[in-house]
Amino acid sequence: CYHFSIRKYTAIVSSEQRQSYEDDFNAEYVEYQAVLAQIHSITKTFREFEEQRKLVTPGSTAYQVKKDNTVK
């Protein structure tokens, strides 16, 4: 998925080669956007967990429940 080859992309010498590079970029960019969306979603979840954690007292039952649910 994340393989990269320098030799694959040499200097552009034709319109066909340019189109091929553009097609590769577009295909990879779609995958990049999907992965980036997943990262943003996971980051948001962790931020929400952090905000919830701040609302409970360490050692309390509510704290332990939040901690247990987070680890799952």
Side-chain angles (χ1 to χ4, degrees), residues 6-70:
I6 298 287
R7 63 183 164 78
K8 181 176 179 181
Y9 299 105
T10 58
I12 297 172
V13 295
S14 69
S15 60
E16 293 81 13
Q17 186 181 22
R18 182 186 182 288
Q19 186 61 51
S20 175
Y21 285 8
E22 185 175 339
D23 293 344
D24 284 353
F25 172 84
N26 289 334
E28 297 291 332
Y29 189 67
V30 169
E31 182 179 358
Y32 163 80
Q33 288 178 313
V35 170
L36 186 61
Q38 289 176 335
I39 290 170
H40 284 305
S41 176
I42 292 167
T43 300
K44 180 182 176 203
T45 300
F46 276 102
R47 284 187 183 134
E48 290 169 355
F49 285 152
E50 178 63 15
E51 291 304 313
Q52 291 173 8
R53 186 191 63 78
K54 290 178 182 178
L55 299 175
V56 294
T57 305
S60 69
T61 302
Y63 180 87
Q64 191 60 44
V65 169
K66 291 285 184 192
K67 181 179 173 186
D68 292 345
N69 286 337
T70 301

